[in-house]
Amino acid sequence: MPGQKFKLIMFCFVFTSIIAFCVIFGGYSSFWRAQNRISDAKNLMAQICQERLTLADIIIKDFNNAGLGKDMEKPRHDVLKAADILKNLKNTEPPLSGNQTRQLEDSQADITQFFKTCLKYLKLPVKNISAARARELSTRIYEIQDKLFVAAKSYNDEVNYYNTRTREAMPSLIAKMFGFDKIHYIPVEHNKFLPAKQTFESTQK
C-alpha cells in the first residue's frame, strides 16, 4: 500500500509538473510570438512610409518640370527629414521610444500635408502634367494612404494586445517571470494615420 501511495504521489507530481511546464512555456511563447508580430508590423509600416517618400519624390520632380520648383523647397526638405527618421527607425528593434514614435508621426504628417497640397494642384491644369498623369498620381496618393492606415492599425492592434496581456491576471505572472512586463510598446497616434477619404476629403480643417 505505501508503494501505491508513493506511485500516486509521483504520478500527481509529474502530471502537475507537465501541466505547469505547458502553461509557462505556452505563456512564454505567446509573448515571444507577440513581439515578433509587433516587429513585423513595424517593418511593414516602415516599408509603406518609404513608399510614400518615393512617391513624394516622384511628384516633386513632376512639379519641378511643371515650373513649380519654388513651391517644392519645403516638401523636399520634409522628405529628406522623414527619410533620416525612417532610416533610424528601420535600424531599431521594438519597442520604439516615445520620441521615435512622435518623430515618425510628425514626419509622416508633413508628407500627408504635402499630398493634400498635391491633390489640390492636380485638380487644376498644370503645365507639363497631363490629365491622365494627374489622375494616376492622385490615385497613387489615395492608395498609399490607405495602405499606411492598414499598416498602422495592424501595428497598434499588436501593440495593444501585448500591453494588455502583460496586465491580465495569469499572463502577467508569466510576463514577470521572464521580464516581459518591463517592456512597454507605444502605439502610433490613430489620427495621424487615417484612411485616404478621411484624410483628404474631410470637411474639418
Side-chain angles (χ1 to χ4, degrees):
M1 292 294 273
Q4 289 182 338
K5 185 179 287 188
F6 177 76
K7 288 181 181 179
L8 179 60
I9 292 172
M10 287 302 298
F11 173 79
C12 291
F13 174 77
V14 172
F15 181 77
T16 304
S17 297
I18 292 173
I19 295 298
F21 173 80
C22 290
V23 170
I24 293 171
F25 179 76
Y28 173 84
S29 63
S30 175
F31 280 111
W32 181 76
R33 289 194 304 271
Q35 286 184 320
N36 284 340
R37 290 197 302 271
I38 291 173
S39 182
D40 290 343
K42 187 270 287 186
N43 291 337
L44 176 61
M45 186 167 60
Q47 176 187 324
I48 293 171
C49 286
Q50 183 61 58
E51 290 177 15
R52 278 161 56 89
L53 299 188
T54 300
L55 177 57
D57 268 332
I58 291 171
I59 294 173
I60 288 172
K61 288 176 183 176
D62 278 16
F63 280 15
N64 278 335
N65 294 335
L68 299 170
K70 289 185 178 179
D71 295 335
M72 295 299 105
E73 290 180 7
K74 183 182 184 303
R76 192 179 297 109
H77 171 77
D78 289 340
V79 167
L80 292 174
K81 180 182 175 183
D84 285 339
I85 291 169
L86 203 53
K87 182 179 179 181
N88 179 51
L89 183 141
K90 287 179 179 177
N91 294 329
T92 302
E93 281 301 313
L96 303 177
S97 68
N99 186 50
Q100 286 177 310
T101 304
R102 299 293 89 81
Q103 285 183 339
L104 173 66
E105 292 170 349
D106 292 343
S107 63
Q108 289 301 312
D110 289 337
I111 302 303
T112 299
Q113 188 57 49
F114 171 59
F115 284 156
K116 286 181 179 180
T117 302
C118 291
L119 289 170
K120 291 179 181 177
Y121 275 120
L122 293 170
K123 288 178 181 177
L124 305 171
V126 179
K127 180 183 176 182
N128 295 332
I129 298 180
S130 67
R133 178 62 170 170
R135 285 193 300 273
E136 176 197 345
L137 293 175
S138 297
T139 298
R140 291 179 66 181
I141 288 172
Y142 269 69
E143 288 176 346
I144 199 65
Q145 183 65 32
D146 282 335
K147 286 174 68 176
L148 180 62
F149 164 71
V150 172
K153 184 178 183 303
S154 176
Y155 177 78
N156 280 354
D157 287 346
E158 297 298 344
V159 164
N160 291 331
Y161 171 81
Y162 179 94
N163 290 339
T164 300
R165 289 276 290 171
T166 61
R167 295 191 297 269
E168 291 176 345
M170 189 63 189
S172 68
L173 296 177
I174 297 172
K176 289 176 181 177
M177 288 176 63
F178 297 101
F180 291 115
D181 62 313
K182 294 181 173 62
I183 303 172
H184 182 74
Y185 293 89
I186 301 172
V188 295
E189 189 176 331
H190 169 71
N191 289 336
K192 296 285 180 71
F193 301 95
L194 294 172
K197 281 199 172 184
Q198 281 182 263
T199 301
F200 302 127
E201 298 178 18
S202 174
T203 56
Q204 296 179 358
K205 302 297 182 182

